[in-house]
Structures are given as C-alpha cells and as structure tokens.
Amino acid sequence: MRIVVDLNKCQGYAQCAFLAPDVFTMHGEEALLYDPRAADEHRDAVARAAAACPVQAITVEGLHQGAPAEPEQVLTGAPWEPRDGR
C-alpha cells in the first residue's frame, strides 16, 4: 500500500488524522505529516481516511489486498469477440 497526499489540495480538515491517527497526524493547525508506506494493519483506517477527505487529497495505491502497488490501466470499449462467420 502506498499513500500519496496532494498537499496543494489538503486544507487541513484533519479528518484523516482523526480516522487513521497511526498514519496521519497534524503538526500545528495546517501541516499534515503521514507515513506513505503504512503497514497493512492500517489498511481499513486508511481507506476510511481517504474516503472522508473533503477535498479528495489522499490517493492510495494497492489499497485492496492483492492489488498491484501501481494503478492498473483501464481499457474501455466493447469486449473483443472472435468473428468466425456465424
């Protein structure tokens, strides 16, 4: 699991620090400190913190167990079907 916080978006609401205090903490009233490689035991708390961020500043890669650490490429369009003349 890899956590990235866009500190340009973060407005210091501290919802993340309330929901996942072992990963996110406020330093003063506006500075956020966080562990970008939080342990798996904090996975649920990090998910709640990311969902609760009012400005969506928190991105978590590999949040779901077994998911790759890097985001997967999403393909769009109709599924491919073989054309056999039927």
Side-chain angles (χ1 to χ4, degrees):
M1 175 172 59
R2 181 172 163 236
I3 302 167
V4 176
V5 177
D6 184 340
L7 297 175
N8 292 318
K9 282 185 173 180
C10 179
Q11 298 295 309
Y13 289 104
Q15 295 299 307
C16 57
F18 175 74
L19 293 168
D22 292 329
V23 178
F24 302 95
T25 187
M26 295 302 293
H27 183 74
E29 292 186 20
E30 294 183 6
L32 175 68
L33 302 176
Y34 67 100
D35 179 1
R37 296 278 183 188
D40 285 345
E41 67 192 54
H42 302 300
R43 187 175 301 274
D44 291 340
V46 168
R48 286 191 296 272
C53 180
V55 294
Q56 303 294 302
I58 302 170
T59 302
V60 184
E61 297 173 354
L63 180 61
H64 304 288
Q65 287 193 337
E70 299 299 322
E72 292 182 29
Q73 180 181 7
V74 177
L75 302 176
T76 59
W80 181 82
E81 294 182 21
R83 296 178 187 238
D84 59 359
R86 287 190 242 176

